[in-house]
């Protein structure tokens, strides 16, 4: 089950919790990258063998460097005074005293990078106490992303991000690794990654089979770790209460709208500012370089900002309408009842029937 299908499940359960039975007949697996499912699979397993295998694979740790055991901690670092809370999907300490932070992110977010730095800083803040020397443990941050974060690197799906100085790592104790899961799926479909036999690639092939509801490759099926993973993600394993809780806290659609609106507004603002500056400068120069520049820039900026904002908002509406139709078409192909599709997308029933 992918994210779109997961959201359709939640919408169906919002109408009637008994719809979960219907979805269990359509889909074999739950959406693994959903926060609640991810935590159940990787945090509640006794011994955390799946989590250890996943982390070692994504960090490319082997032999003596590999993590042997991990103890999980409370996910939340409460805010101090008026500071924001820090809530991570998984945080733990390894047998070597290293800190491991794992965060699953389903959508791109303008402030995601800021949030990553804030999360790491809160963990760092909690390491050194009074009368102790300033010695930090190794800290690993792993971001599992269901979106593209590095479009400038189309052939790379794992990114190690370090603070560099003169070509060397300035502080190697902090390692940030971002895994673009959807990009790997695209590389795999294109055959680009067929020769990638790394443990990270094998893990992502197992995840792809689960998320895309595809036949599991024989090499994956023969691996005991992946057998356990696949078995643990079967939709039949998850109780109705879990999805009811997600229905109550469902915010994905609202977040998508807000992100799109913010991007359109930002683009319109930038275009308006550029045009306003140019027009203001030209008109102002004729009346007097100093006085005219200020007046022209202000007037042009206001006009440009308004026009740019309107264009951005119009483009966002068109994009949202297109996405609704694509979503409806996909849900219908998946066998979702048309009344649920109409409620889920907001499209009239007659338009859903024509898709």
């Amino acid at each position: 089950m992918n994210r779109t299908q997961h959201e359709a499940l939640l919408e169906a359960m919002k109408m009637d919790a008994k719809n979960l039975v219907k979805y269990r007949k359509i889909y074999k697996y739950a959406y693994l990258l959903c926060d609640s499912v991810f935590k159940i699979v990787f945090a509640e397993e006794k011994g955390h063998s799946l989590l250890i295998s996943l982390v070692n694979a994504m960090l490319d740790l082997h032999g003596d460097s590999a993590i042997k055991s991990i103890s999980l901690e409370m996910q939340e670092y409460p805010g101090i005074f008026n500071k924001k809370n820090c809530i991570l999907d998984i945080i733990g300490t390894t047998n070597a005293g290293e800190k491991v932070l794992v965060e699953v992110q389903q959508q791109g977010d303008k402030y995601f990078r800021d949030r990553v730095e804030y999360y790491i800083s809160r963990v760092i803040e909690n390491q050194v106490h009074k009368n102790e020397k300033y010695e930090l443990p190794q800290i690993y941050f792993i971001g599992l992303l269901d979106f593209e974060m590095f479009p400038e690197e189309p052939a790379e799906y794992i990114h190690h991000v370090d603070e560099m100085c003169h070509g060397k790592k300035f502080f190697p104790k902090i390692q940030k690794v971002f895994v673009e899961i959807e990009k790997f799926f695209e590389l795999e479909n294109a055959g680009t990654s067929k020769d990638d036999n790394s443990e990270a690639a094998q893990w992502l092939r197992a995840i792809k089979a689960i998320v895309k509801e595809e036949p599991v490759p024989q090499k994956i099926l023969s691996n005991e770790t992946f057998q356990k993973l696949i078995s643990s993600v079967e939709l039949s394993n998850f109780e109705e209460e879990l999805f009811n809780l997600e229905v109550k806290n469902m915010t994905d659609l609202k977040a998508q709208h807000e992100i799109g609106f913010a991007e359109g507004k930002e683009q319109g603002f930038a275009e308006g500012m550029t045009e306003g500056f140019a027009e203001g400068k030209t008109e102002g120069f004729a009346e007097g370089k100093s006085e005219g520049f200020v007046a022209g820039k202000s007037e042009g900026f206001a006009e440009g900002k308004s026009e740019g904002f309107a264009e951005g908002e119009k483009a966002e509406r068109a994009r949202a309408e297109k996405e609704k139709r694509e979503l409806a078409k996909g849900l219908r192909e998946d066998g979702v009842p048309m009344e649920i599709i109409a409620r889920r997308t907001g499209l009239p029933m007659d338009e859903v029937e024509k898709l």
Side-chain angles (χ1 to χ4, degrees):
M1 181 183 298
N2 61 31
R3 185 173 72 216
T4 300
Q5 294 158 347
H6 175 73
E7 291 173 358
L9 163 64
L10 298 183
E11 285 287 355
M13 290 191 65
K14 190 174 182 180
M15 297 174 62
D16 186 348
K18 295 179 181 178
N19 280 323
L20 177 59
V21 176
K22 185 185 300 183
Y23 272 79
R24 280 177 172 157
K25 295 178 181 178
I26 301 174
Y27 300 107
K28 184 175 182 180
Y29 305 111
Y31 177 43
L32 177 60
L33 302 178
C34 154
D35 286 350
S36 55
V37 173
F38 185 85
K39 290 172 185 175
I40 289 173
V41 171
F42 290 98
E44 295 188 7
E45 177 208 8
K46 185 178 180 181
H48 309 304
S49 62
L50 288 175
L51 177 62
I52 292 170
S53 176
L54 173 69
V55 171
N56 280 331
M58 298 309 164
L59 294 176
D60 196 25
L61 299 177
H62 305 277
D64 293 339
S65 299
I67 295 170
K68 306 297 191 301
S69 65
I70 188 168
S71 58
L72 300 190
E73 305 168 17
M74 293 292 293
Q75 301 164 260
E76 183 173 358
Y77 282 76
I80 302 173
F81 299 112
N82 63 339
K83 298 294 190 299
K84 290 181 71 69
N85 288 352
C86 168
I87 304 176
L88 290 146
D89 288 333
I90 290 178
I91 179 167
T93 302
T94 73
N95 51 288
E98 306 155 323
K99 293 292 180 181
V100 176
L101 291 63
V102 181
E103 182 72 8
V104 179
Q105 184 72 9
Q106 297 179 37
Q107 299 182 78
D109 181 337
K110 179 180 178 181
Y111 298 109
F112 176 61
R113 299 185 188 201
D114 299 67
R115 185 149 52 86
V116 168
E117 298 300 328
Y118 181 70
Y119 284 178
I120 295 174
S121 70
R122 291 301 307 277
V123 173
I124 291 173
E125 178 188 39
N126 200 49
Q127 300 309 305
V128 181
H129 303 282
K130 287 183 178 180
N131 302 319
E132 293 181 349
K133 57 185 178 181
Y134 292 99
E135 182 178 8
L136 296 176
Q138 186 81 32
I139 298 175
Y140 299 109
F141 177 91
I142 301 175
L144 302 175
L145 316 179
D146 196 16
F147 65 94
E148 187 176 42
M149 185 174 177
F150 301 94
E152 66 277 8
E153 298 182 56
E156 301 293 331
Y157 64 91
I158 293 185
H159 307 271
H160 294 259
V161 179
D162 297 291
E163 185 179 3
M164 306 296 290
C165 181
H166 304 301
K168 297 181 180 180
K169 294 181 182 180
F170 176 73
F171 193 71
K173 281 189 173 182
I174 297 178
Q175 293 189 36
K176 288 173 281 190
V177 177
F178 297 93
V179 184
E180 295 178 298
I181 296 175
E182 186 60 37
K183 181 184 284 185
F184 177 83
F185 292 172
E186 294 172 0
L187 293 172
E188 191 78 351
N189 289 339
T192 309
S193 57
K194 64 179 181 179
D195 295 326
D196 186 348
N197 294 312
S198 65
E199 292 182 16
Q202 301 299 355
W203 256 97
L204 291 174
R205 288 184 182 112
I207 292 174
K208 182 174 185 285
I210 292 168
V211 172
K212 300 295 185 180
E213 296 273 344
E214 297 175 346
V216 183
Q218 185 57 42
K219 189 172 182 179
I220 301 299
L221 276 176
S222 62
N223 183 290
E224 184 177 340
T225 296
F226 297 139
Q227 289 175 9
K228 181 185 292 187
L229 171 69
I230 292 167
S231 175
S232 67
V233 189
E234 290 182 359
L235 188 57
S236 58
N237 294 337
F238 298 92
E239 300 295 332
E240 179 182 313
E241 288 74 13
L242 173 71
F243 298 107
N244 285 334
L245 180 62
E246 285 211 359
V247 168
K248 184 178 180 181
N249 298 302
M250 188 168 50
T251 58
D252 280 359
L253 287 179
K254 182 179 179 182
Q256 286 179 348
H257 172 76
E258 291 175 349
I259 290 170
F261 181 84
E263 290 175 349
K265 181 178 179 180
E266 184 177 7
Q267 182 178 349
F269 182 89
E271 293 174 356
M273 184 174 181
T274 301
E275 185 177 341
F277 180 85
E279 292 178 1
K281 183 175 181 180
T282 301
E283 181 180 329
F285 187 84
E287 297 177 359
K289 186 173 181 180
S290 179
E291 182 178 347
F293 178 84
V294 176
K297 180 179 178 182
S298 176
E299 180 178 345
F301 178 85
E303 292 177 358
K305 178 180 178 182
S306 176
E307 182 178 341
F309 182 87
E311 290 177 358
E313 193 171 30
K314 181 179 179 182
E316 169 59 20
R317 285 199 299 270
R319 184 186 69 79
E321 188 67 20
K322 181 180 178 182
E323 286 188 353
K324 285 198 296 185
R325 293 180 180 279
E326 291 176 349
L327 173 61
K329 185 177 179 180
L331 293 176
R332 186 161 186 192
E333 291 174 352
D334 288 336
V336 178
M338 286 189 290
E339 63 269 23
I340 295 178
I341 298 176
R343 177 180 177 84
R344 173 73 173 78
T345 62
L347 291 173
M349 183 66 75
D350 59 341
E351 289 193 32
V352 175
E353 292 173 349
K354 294 176 182 178
L355 293 173

